[in-house]
Amino acid sequence: MTIDTLPASIDGDERIEIAALEDNSLLGTARIENALDRPTLVDLYIDQERREEGIAQRLVEKGMEWARCTGQIIYLYVDPENEKARTLYEKLGWSYFRPEGNSEVNVDRCREGAVDGDGCVWMRWRPSKEDDAGH
């Protein structure tokens, strides 16, 4: 399986498309675009028959690699009921925060329902100083 990053632009808005491919078959995609004036992982899709194979993790890690290389903080929002996705993001080092105050939020508070006005939990990932030294 290969994971490819494809820079794209629609009406002047930069976006990054990430694709998981195997034998010319599309296994999954992720998209990072400018949402609410910040780079945001807005879409993550894995073929139903290929779930539980680590494809989502590899796609997210590729997006994190892009953020690391460009020095960007990357954001996402997730349904509070999507425990599987939230667990993956936590494992990869994403933190919860409130976009309106730009402040970190305790994981336990998010699990109790600390969500934004639209019912979404916001998370972000920022490259560490060690990441900067590696690039």
Side-chain angles (χ1 to χ4, degrees):
M1 174 176 44
T2 61
I3 307 290
D4 292 322
T5 304
L6 312 165
S9 179
I10 293 179
D11 297 329
D13 286 336
E14 295 295 319
R15 52 194 257 176
I16 305 296
E17 299 283 347
I18 305 167
L21 302 164
E22 185 176 78
D23 299 326
N24 290 327
S25 294
L26 183 64
L27 306 180
T29 60
R31 185 174 72 239
I32 299 169
E33 62 184 42
N34 194 20
L36 301 175
D37 296 324
R38 54 185 80 170
T40 304
L41 177 65
V42 295
D43 193 24
L44 180 62
Y45 169 77
I46 309 302
D47 184 291
Q48 186 76 29
E49 295 178 9
R50 299 299 299 263
R51 294 184 180 178
E52 306 297 326
E53 294 183 25
I55 298 168
Q57 179 171 334
R58 291 193 52 197
L59 289 167
V60 173
E61 287 173 337
K62 190 70 167 180
M64 293 165 63
E65 179 183 317
W66 168 83
R68 185 179 300 112
C69 290
T70 61
Q72 301 272 350
I73 298 172
I74 189 171
Y75 300 84
L76 64 82
Y77 47 93
V78 62
D79 185 312
E81 303 298 318
N82 192 342
E83 187 70 23
K84 189 176 275 190
R86 291 171 59 192
T87 299
L88 170 65
Y89 301 133
E90 288 172 14
K91 177 177 123 180
L92 293 175
W94 292 68
S95 60
Y96 294 94
F97 83 109
R98 293 185 188 283
E100 64 275 1
N102 207 29
S103 60
E104 298 292 325
V105 175
N106 181 294
V107 171
D108 294 328
R109 292 235 15 245
C110 279
R111 295 202 180 284
E112 294 168 9
V115 298
D116 71 7
D118 294 326
C120 294
V121 173
W122 278 86
M123 300 179 82
R124 68 178 164 197
W125 181 84
R126 63 177 81 214
S128 67
K129 299 219 183 297
E130 293 81 30
D131 291 329
D132 293 340
H135 264 286

